[in-house]
Amino acid sequence: MTPEPNILIVDDEAAIRDMIGIALDTAGFRSTTASTALDAHVNIIDQRPDLVLLDWMLPGGSGIELARRLKRDELTASIPIIMLTAKTSEDNKVQGLDVGVDDYVTKPFSPRELVARIKAVLRRSTGNLKDKPIRVFDLEMDPASHRVMVEDRPVEMGPTEYRLLNFFMTHPEKVYSRDHIQDQVWGANVYLEERTVDVHIGRLRKALSSASKTGINYSALIQTVRGAGYRFSTRHD
Amino acid sequence: MTPEPNILIVDDEAAIRDMIGIALDTAGFRSTTASTALDAHVNIIDQRPDLVLLDWMLPGGSGIELARRLKRDELTASIPIIMLTAKTSEDNKVQGLDVGVDDYVTKPFSPRELVARIKAVLRRSTGNLKDKPIRVFDLEMDPASHRVMVEDRPVEMGPTEYRLLNFFMTHPEKVYSRDHIQDQVWGANVYLEERTVDVHIGRLRKALSSASKTGINYSALIQTVRGAGYRFSTRHD
DNA sequence: AAAAATTGTCATCAAAATGTAATATTGCAT
DNA sequence: ATGCAATATTACATTTTGATGACAATTTTT
């Protein structure tokens, strides 16, 4: 995750978007906005925000619909959602929570309260999954320090290679096509040459292969599967 | 899914249909076309395409209506729909998302973008059905990792041999003619010399026979049936 | 503002896979 | 055993696919 979490604000009223945007800015978040459910959906698929602030009362009542859709789709299910609503009616709350929304803020709210809730949700969602280091032999990825270590010494690599390795280490022993890797590492709807994945695989391999002093070649963990894609595996071919 | 996904293009303008058709062809998709909502509906029921590209602005505004109908009907609800639209009008978008359309592409679009989006949507909709590994004695085929293992050791083989073995293991104890094998492994509408199948059978046997350390010859599972074809069987001839 | 790092693309090389034809071998009926 | 047809194997030219270094554009750091 980037140092400053990226929050998507979805509301049809420009004034509210601006107000929240300023509040988040002050609190050290980056933010983008969308005024319709579709804009929001496209943005989420493309940008993968760290959290979505979603107005309940979007035109056509599509806020709840969008939330449901996001939670149903595996690709977006893990993105936390905070619902914004003017109503205080109980069954709305129940409905929202039903859908899998992570929290619920009723208008009017103070910027301070909103920020506090956002931080709480982010802490919950990022703390659970991402803090545990992953280790394979003497190759260790520590998301907390955002570092890759081989034999306890840091390995230099670019951000893209880091994300690539992270994806592989969290999805071992499976082939992924170049397309799939693009989706996961660069985000959906980013159009790259197919070969670009090869190049970054190459860079990652290079970084890993020169890392060990004990002669182990960690780049062998990243295997080419001809005609299919790539695979991270501890079993050699 | 068939080797080449079948895409239905629904648009009332022949020029656009052709343009898209060519783009899809180049990308390795098969495509069929329909110019009216009714045609499209019939085609969908009939052919069960893997994805529908649906023009928003069909005469009578029936594009959206068709989408809604398809998503409401259980038989067709699982077929992904990508909407093509010239407009960026907001309420249209909201409506479409409401209906359950899977993605949107606004005209004009580049063929590349269209293809990328199609792939992304297809991956999402089909990727969920993960195949389970198949095992016969100590010969195991795992589609997820795209690997063949004998006695827990990976076996090297080319993509074609992999597909061939996959076909056999999913269709055991039956004879298949060379023609039939060609259809299944290479795809229909591919013409090959009959003997080519023999060669690949040979390559597969070779890969399997040298795989075991315990003296078992797994190539014996692939049996020649003189005058008929080949058979994958655990029983001896 | 300058320097350094990162990025995506392309051209080129190398390796692997493919299909075919030629040749060898096998199984079977006689 | 013999001859024949079917299948197996081999060798090879061609095609496909992946790896890699160079490069320009962009972004980030200094």
Side-chain angles (χ1 to χ4, degrees), chain A residues 36-38 59 69 73-75 173-175 179-180 183 189 191 193 223 225 231 233 235-237, chain B residues 90 93-94 97-98 100-101 104 112-113 116-117 119 123-124 128 144-147 149 152 154 156 159:
Chain A
T36 69
L38 177 73
R69 167 170 292 274
D73 188 342
E74 194 188 335
L75 246 153
E173 306 296 342
K174 280 188 181 170
V175 227
D179 276 345
H180 205 287
D183 271 11
N189 296 338
Y191 314 119
E193 279 312 306
Q223 302 168 353
V225 183
R231 172 179 56 205
S233 171
R235 336 173 74 126
H236 37 72
D237 311 87
Chain B
E90 302 230 326
K93 284 186 175 181
V94 171
L97 183 70
D98 241 17
V101 159
Y104 269 89
R112 182 194 227 192
E113 178 185 354
R117 296 237 181 191
K119 284 184 178 172
R123 202 163 31 248
R124 251 184 290 160
N128 292 341
S145 66
H146 205 271
R147 232 176 195 166
M149 315 256 284
D152 280 328
E156 304 261 350

Side-chain angles (χ1 to χ4, degrees), chain A residues 99-113:
Chain A
V99 162
V101 158
D102 296 78
D103 202 355
Y104 200 90
V105 178
T106 52
K107 303 181 194 174
F109 48 78
S110 72
R112 176 185 277 186
E113 178 189 356

